[in-house]
Structures are given as structure tokens and as C-alpha cells.
Amino acid sequence: MNHPAFELEGAAGTIRRWLAEADRILITAGAGLSAAAGYDYGDEDRFHELFPALHRLGLRSRYLVGVPLPPDLRWGYWAVHIDDIRFAPTPNPLYQRLRALVGDKDHWVMTSNVDGLFARNGFAPDRIFTPQGDYGRYQCATPCTPAVWDSEPLVARLLAAYDPVSGAVTDPDALPRCPNCGGEVEINVRVGPEFIDSPYLLAGRRLQDWLGTAPSGTGLLILELGAGFNTPGVIRWPGEHLTRRLPHARLVRINPSHPETPTDLAGRTLPVAADARHLLDALTVPHSAPQPTVAP
């Protein structure tokens, strides 16, 4: 792996040049981008603030997939979590700065994040591929049908019956059931083989078409932000594969913990050992022009 000595200003200069030279940009992003934007699932203080009842039970982060909670607590958690992450109306400055950085370049987004932050901050929804799902939808847990449903009315109904002291949904009638079979439901995110991926397949095909129909010699810049090793087959490895396959592609990997890039791609990759916020600071904060030397 290629992980040379890191210097933020130097990296920012290289990225500015590669952005200017690129014909197309593919932004790929993992959980680290949203964490840098203020949505850190491992933030214990924020967890304590939002979920005091769960904190009293000994839980410390939002990584609760597989934790056996009774339905009233589980749906209380989902309602508060999704309302905070997916439906908060406040624009996010970090995502907006990233959108401004791309400007009018031809671009796509591929992200493992399920929070909708790209579409909510200026990126075209029809150019975003979210193969891991979206908190904005729910599905039958079985599933009995390939249909999915809008989760925003569900979240509103759950919050209306939510008791923040106990952390539970207090009205059993508010707990969700499948509109088709009456069975249990799940949020439409990839956890197991029951995941319904049909809402995302069209965007995936359109992204593949965009990548596959580029004119010969097209310069593609892949900006990978905050993608670690939780699900490397979704973001990290596809970016490396694309860079190998396309002779005019370059890859910038922005990750404070795991910025390494493959040695066989040296010269066309840039490992950046910083989080997205610090890099965007270096890229977008105005820099003073050097002062001319005055002869004595």
C-alpha cells in the first residue's frame, strides 16, 4: 500500500490540479463523511443526549443492528435516530461545500450512507447511487412483496407516541406493520438477504452506463471520502478497480485512519490522512497569494 508522508496543503494543491484536469468526477463516500459532517454514530455524548433510556441500559452508540430490543424500544430508537439523521431540515454545510467544490463538472455520487444527505444538500437525486438502502423507506421483513414505503409518515406516527423518559413507543397501535401482509417491517437498509434493493437498481445501471460510455481518453477523478473497512466491497475496492480499469482515472482517498492506496496505482492515487472537514477547509478557505520579492 502507498502511504507517503502527508502534508495537507500539498495534498490540497494536487487535488485542485486534478479537479481542474478532470472531465468527470465520481464522489464515493462512506460513514466517515457523515461523521465529519456531524453525524458520528459512535459519538457517545450525542447518543446519551438522544437516547437516555438506552444509555441507562448500557448502550453507547447508534450501531444497534442485531441488538435484541423489544419492539417498543426498537421502534422508539428508530424513530428518533431516523428523524435526526434523515429528516432534519437544516442544510449541512460540509455537504454543501463539497457540492460547491464539484461545481458544474459532470459528476455522480456512489455512497454506502443511507442518510440522504447528498440529495438534501444540492446533489441531483437522479445521480446518486445508494446500494445500501435509504432510511427514507421501509419494507416488509419477510419480505412478502418487493414494494417499499415512505418512512417519513411512519416516523412521525412513532414520534407522536414516543416517551423520551422510557425510550419506548407507548401506543401499541403506532408500531408499524406491513401494509400488504400485516407482518413485521424493517427499515429498507442492507442488513441481510431480506433487503429489497429494487429501488436502487436503476441508479446503479445508470451509473454503470455513465462510466462505460465515456469517450476514449476521458479523465475521471474519483473522490473517496470516509470509506473504511466496514464494507470495503461497496466503496473502497470498486474505486480501486475503476482506477485500474480506466487508464485516465485518478483516485483521491480521504480517510484519517485508512488512507492507504495500492502500490500498483502509484502516480494515479493520492492518499490523504485527514477527515473531509479538514481537507475541505484546506481546499476552500481562501489562501493569500505569495507576496512579490522586493529588491533591496
Side-chain angles (χ1 to χ4, degrees):
M1 287 289 179
N2 179 33
H3 187 183
F6 175 69
E7 198 275 314
L8 187 59
E9 290 299 330
T14 299
I15 294 170
R16 289 190 196 97
R17 177 167 59 84
W18 285 9
L19 281 166
E21 294 171 352
D23 301 300
R24 292 180 168 188
I25 298 172
L26 174 62
I27 296 174
T28 64
L33 176 59
S34 288
Y39 294 98
D40 183 353
Y41 282 31
D43 184 340
E44 184 178 338
D45 290 338
R46 181 62 172 161
F47 183 86
H48 189 191
E49 177 186 351
L50 289 175
F51 311 103
L54 297 182
H55 193 272
R56 288 194 299 272
L57 292 176
L59 300 173
R60 295 294 182 265
S61 81
R62 302 198 202 202
Y63 294 106
L64 296 185
V65 172
V67 175
L69 293 174
D72 57 345
L73 284 178
R74 179 161 55 91
W75 284 107
Y77 162 76
W78 276 122
V80 174
H81 172 65
I82 293 174
D83 185 60
D84 177 58
I85 292 284
R86 179 64 175 83
F87 296 126
T90 307
N92 187 275
L94 187 71
Y95 276 80
Q96 292 186 324
R97 289 168 65 194
L98 181 58
R99 177 65 189 88
L101 182 69
V102 175
D104 59 1
K105 291 275 188 178
D106 186 8
H107 65 276
W108 260 83
V109 171
M110 180 173 71
T111 178
S112 59
N113 298 337
V114 295
D115 48 30
L117 280 165
F118 279 102
R120 291 153 54 198
N121 287 280
F123 289 87
D126 63 350
R127 286 198 160 210
I128 302 170
F129 178 39
T130 59
Q132 300 297 87
D134 188 337
Y135 282 151
R137 300 183 174 102
Y138 71 101
Q139 64 168 82
C140 178
T142 302
C144 68
T145 171
V148 296
W149 300 279
D150 181 4
S151 69
E152 190 166 17
L154 168 62
V155 168
R157 186 171 78 246
L158 289 166
L159 288 175
Y162 175 72
D163 173 24
V165 175
S166 67
V169 175
T170 58
D171 180 1
D173 291 336
L175 296 176
R177 309 299 296 181
C178 174
N180 186 59
C181 72
E184 294 186 0
V185 300
E186 295 176 348
I187 300 302
N188 182 224
V189 297
R190 190 185 299 274
V191 175
E194 298 82 12
F195 172 63
I196 295 173
D197 63 358
S198 55
Y200 315 102
L201 296 180
L202 178 59
R205 288 193 292 267
R206 293 182 63 243
L207 172 57
Q208 288 298 322
D209 289 344
W210 181 76
L211 291 167
T213 59
S216 177
T218 297
L220 175 69
L221 177 60
I222 303 170
L223 287 178
E224 180 193 292
L225 302 108
F229 285 99
N230 286 338
T231 54
V234 179
I235 299 297
R236 285 180 73 99
W237 296 342
E240 294 173 5
H241 174 69
L242 271 174
T243 307
R244 289 189 181 96
R245 184 166 64 85
L246 303 175
H248 299 283
R250 289 165 164 167
L251 168 65
V252 177
R253 172 163 287 157
I254 303 151
N255 191 306
S257 302
H258 301 288
E260 300 84 3
T261 56
T263 53
D264 66 297
L265 294 175
R268 294 198 291 132
T269 62
L270 179 66
V272 181
D275 69 19
R277 181 171 60 85
H278 289 111
L279 177 68
L280 284 170
D281 283 345
L283 285 170
T284 59
V285 172
H287 295 268
S288 301
Q291 297 298 313
T293 301
V294 179

